Amino acid sequence: MGKGILLITGGGRGIGAATAKLAAASGYGVLINYASDVQAAETVVSDIARLGGIAKCFKADVGSEWDVAAMFDFAESMGRLSGLVNNAGVLEQQMPLQLMSVDRWRRVLETNVIGTMLCAREAIRRWAEQPQADDNRAIVNVSSMAASLGAPGEYVDYAASKGAVDSLTRGLALEVAEMGVRVNAVRPGVIKTDIHASGGEPERVSRVAKSVPMGRGGEAEEVAQTIMWLMSKESSYVTGTFIDVSGGR
Ligand code: NAP
């Protein structure tokens, strides 16, 4: 755990799980947060342990202030908190805006926007109490190409939530730069994970791949590699910026 603890929200599946495995292999102790799929999270923990890494998992709804505080307490009980990947995110059934309910918007914004802000706030508060403890503190937010493409006819609410994540990334990066905390975001394009099933189209990646200049969907590991570069000292002079991981789309 030479690099300290990396907290990854939504780390039990998809992009978060791929990031957790890479992070552990590179020397981080990893705390894998999940919302409900304990089996998936425990599988990632045991996969990491089998390879000699250190990982634990913690159930918390990132939209809950109480859960987030408890999760950060747990992370700090594992060791020195070095980084946060704000990866947890949700989308709902594809439909035009005119059919969407307010309850749905609240759910999407609560996880994707409030969740990201709550976790970022908690990390910054804790780091502010120990300003010198680490020379590579970083937050990586997982946004989406939807922030600029808009996801018309599918989920403009989700796209808007990721636009908010982009603004947060820029603003917070400038706010905490002097503290030595870097804040960046990745914007994945269409990546092969379960999230598309939540939108009602499990095969969405094959359909959309045709419109990707590189002609294919992305792998979760390809996003994870970019997240871990932004987390690493290799990117020590990079803050307030975005990397599109989208095959050119
Ligand atoms: P995924 O496979 O559906 O995994 C989502 C993860 O988020 C799960 O681990 C889930 O926990 C967790 N989660 C959901 N709501 C949560 C909450 N309230 N509190 C804590 N954890 C919560 O999705 P993915 O594709 O890997 O997506 C990861 C991130 O990438 C998201 O922010 C997504 O918007 C973004 N992204 C994905 C794509 C893509 O094409 N896949 C493209 C652009 C951006 P459980 O396992 O417990 O359900």
Side-chain angles (χ1 to χ4, degrees):
M1 269 195 291
K3 290 185 176 171
I5 302 301
L6 181 62
L7 170 50
I8 303 173
T9 67
R13 295 188 289 120
I15 292 167
T19 306
K21 290 176 189 173
L22 267 186
S26 81
Y28 282 99
V30 182
L31 181 56
I32 293 160
N33 153 253
Y34 65 98
S36 58
D37 193 340
V38 62
Q39 203 179 341
E42 284 179 347
T43 301
V44 180
V45 169
S46 52
D47 286 350
I48 289 173
R50 202 172 322 113
L51 294 169
I54 294 172
K56 293 188 176 177
C57 59
F58 193 90
K59 178 178 163 73
D61 175 355
V62 294
S64 153
E65 200 168 6
W66 191 91
D67 279 11
V68 168
M71 175 170 73
F72 275 78
D73 285 346
F74 188 83
E76 288 192 319
S77 77
M78 289 175 68
R80 163 180 54 87
L81 180 71
S82 187
L84 165 68
V85 181
N86 270 317
N87 166 77
V90 291
L91 50 73
E92 299 205 8
Q93 187 70 32
Q94 295 171 351
M95 62 179 72
L97 179 105
Q98 58 175 321
L99 298 180
M100 291 177 189
S101 69
V102 175
D103 281 349
R104 165 191 167 126
W105 292 340
R106 292 212 166 96
R107 286 193 297 272
V108 170
L109 295 175
E110 192 154 291
T111 295
N112 299 5
V113 183
I114 307 262
T116 299
M117 292 198 287
L118 273 177
C119 292
R121 186 183 74 175
E122 202 63 38
I124 299 294
R125 280 182 175 172
R126 287 167 195 248
W127 286 335
E129 285 168 11
Q130 299 167 315
Q132 307 299 338
D134 197 315
D135 65 351
N136 187 42
R137 286 171 166 162
I139 297 175
V140 178
N141 294 326
V142 181
S143 175
S144 171
M145 287 310 293
S148 51
L149 296 171
E154 295 189 318
Y155 17 71
V156 295
D157 54 345
Y158 169 82
S161 77
K162 294 300 187 175
V165 169
D166 284 3
S167 301
L168 171 74
T169 301
R170 185 77 191 141
L172 183 63
L174 304 184
E175 206 170 279
V176 299
E178 275 195 356
M179 274 176 67
V181 179
R182 297 182 302 107
V183 184
N184 292 290
V186 292
R187 283 192 289 224
V190 57
I191 311 297
K192 297 168 198 166
T193 72
D194 296 342
I195 204 168
H196 308 287
S198 323
E201 190 186 2
E203 300 307 319
R204 179 172 178 269
V205 177
S206 344
R207 174 176 61 83
V208 178
K210 298 181 194 87
S211 66
V212 176
M214 285 181 69
R216 64 171 178 88
E219 304 292 338
E221 291 71 22
E222 294 179 291
V223 183
Q225 291 282 1
T226 313
I227 292 171
M228 289 315 298
W229 182 76
L230 286 170
M231 192 54 67
S232 76
K233 283 188 175 171
E234 310 288 313
S235 63
S236 53
Y237 201 48
V238 178
T239 197
T241 197
F242 308 87
I243 301 183
D244 297 345
V245 189
S246 64
R249 183 165 177 260

